[in-house]
Amino acid sequence: MNKKITIAGLGWLGNAFASHLLQLGYTVKGSVTDIGKATTLTSKGIDAIPLVLTENGVTGEVDVLLQDTDVLAIMIPPGLRRNTGANYALKMAHFLHAIEQSSVRKVILVSSTSVYDDGQGSVNESNVPIPQLNAAKQLYDVEQIFFNAPSFKTTIVRFGGLFGGSRNPVRFIAGRKGLSNGDAPVNMIHREDCIGILLEIIKKDVFGHIFNAVSPQHPTKRDYYTKQAIQLGLTVPEYEDESEAIFKQVDSIYLKKLLHYTFKVTL
């Protein structure tokens, strides 16, 4: 029985996932980078342990975090969009080494559909990612080292664009003009479905697989963000008219085949 869950990265998704697991009777602990946040979460029943991954190693009580764990869910944000030059792959290699020294035998690694290049067209799990950008290459490298680790089984979950709660990507582009690729399809997923998919992996004990986790609906960016802006009372972003869109559309074979998952939130 996978009843003791450890979440590395109690952030926007990890915190919500932990709360949901607690309601279902699971034992949950996880990592944070801030001691103050650890105290707050522990008071809510989530045993939160301060832990920091650096390019030089892992700082914190990683042994305590990993002990007595049925499933380790890794949700540590790469931080690669900030262009800090950080080596996410090296940080995760240090964490991988710590996991290999522990008794953990089942891992869920949260990744991203950005491992697929924007020009790859329609893809599913049978298509090998061809990352071109450094950030995407690092993500794919991390997927590879975890998926091929011999001491535990890893299931990789590539989430699309995340939204839910107060988080909505349209807030970053509302009112902007001259945006490109308006006819490209969106690849989005609501936090409720993220949690639902992760839970099914644990409940059905499905490890050693790769899932693309994206809503099956793919409206165009122009249509989707126009609708979202109007619903939130924001200025509608404007896209340039283009003759040909560069796009990727990410779908899944295995969410239905292996998990029998039905999405709760439609686009």
Side-chain angles (χ1 to χ4, degrees), residues 33-187:
T33 56
D34 179 76
I35 293 177
K37 186 176 181 182
T39 303
T40 301
L41 288 172
T42 300
S43 69
K44 295 179 180 179
I46 304 170
D47 187 10
I49 299 161
L51 191 79
V52 178
L53 303 186
T54 72
E55 292 164 6
N56 297 317
V58 182
T59 303
E61 296 181 294
V62 66
D63 293 341
V64 175
L65 178 72
L66 298 176
Q67 70 184 11
D68 203 20
T69 296
D70 293 326
V71 177
L72 170 65
I74 303 174
M75 305 182 187
I76 297 172
L80 295 171
R81 292 184 179 179
R82 296 189 291 270
N83 296 317
T84 59
N87 192 329
Y88 171 65
L90 180 56
K91 293 178 183 179
M92 292 299 286
H94 288 304
F95 194 35
L96 171 66
H97 179 68
I99 298 167
E100 289 177 326
Q101 304 305 308
S102 75
S103 60
V104 171
R105 292 296 175 264
K106 297 173 185 177
V107 171
I108 298 172
L109 176 68
V110 169
S111 187
S112 167
T113 55
S114 62
V115 295
Y116 296 107
D117 185 64
D118 284 343
Q120 280 196 244
S122 296
V123 294
N124 56 46
E125 294 96 342
S126 69
N127 300 106
V128 177
I130 310 173
Q132 301 298 315
L133 301 176
N134 176 58
K137 289 178 180 178
Q138 288 201 52
L139 283 174
Y140 189 52
D141 286 346
V142 170
E143 285 189 2
Q144 292 298 295
I145 62 172
F146 272 83
F147 196 70
N148 294 311
S151 61
F152 54 83
K153 275 194 171 183
T154 299
T155 280
I156 295 167
V157 185
R158 295 171 179 155
F159 285 130
L162 303 171
F163 72 103
S166 62
R167 181 170 180 166
N168 193 314
V170 74
R171 297 183 188 278
F172 298 104
I173 60 172
R176 291 179 58 183
K177 301 179 185 294
L179 296 173
S180 61
N181 252 13
D183 292 327
V186 298
N187 300 288

Side-chain angles (χ1 to χ4, degrees), residues 4-46:
K4 298 175 182 177
I5 313 300
T6 296
I7 301 171
L10 291 169
W12 177 82
L13 175 58
N15 197 351
F17 184 44
S19 297
H20 189 77
L21 288 171
L22 281 176
Q23 292 173 7
L24 295 175
Y26 288 81
T27 300
V28 185
K29 62 180 172 178
S31 72
V32 293
T33 56
D34 179 76
I35 293 177
K37 186 176 181 182
T39 303
T40 301
L41 288 172
T42 300
S43 69
K44 295 179 180 179
I46 304 170

Side-chain angles (χ1 to χ4, degrees), residues 116 122-125 187 212 214-216 218 249-253:
Y116 296 107
S122 296
V123 294
N124 56 46
E125 294 96 342
N187 300 288
N212 290 342
V214 178
S215 170
H218 298 279
Q249 177 174 311
V250 183
D251 289 299
S252 176
I253 300 170

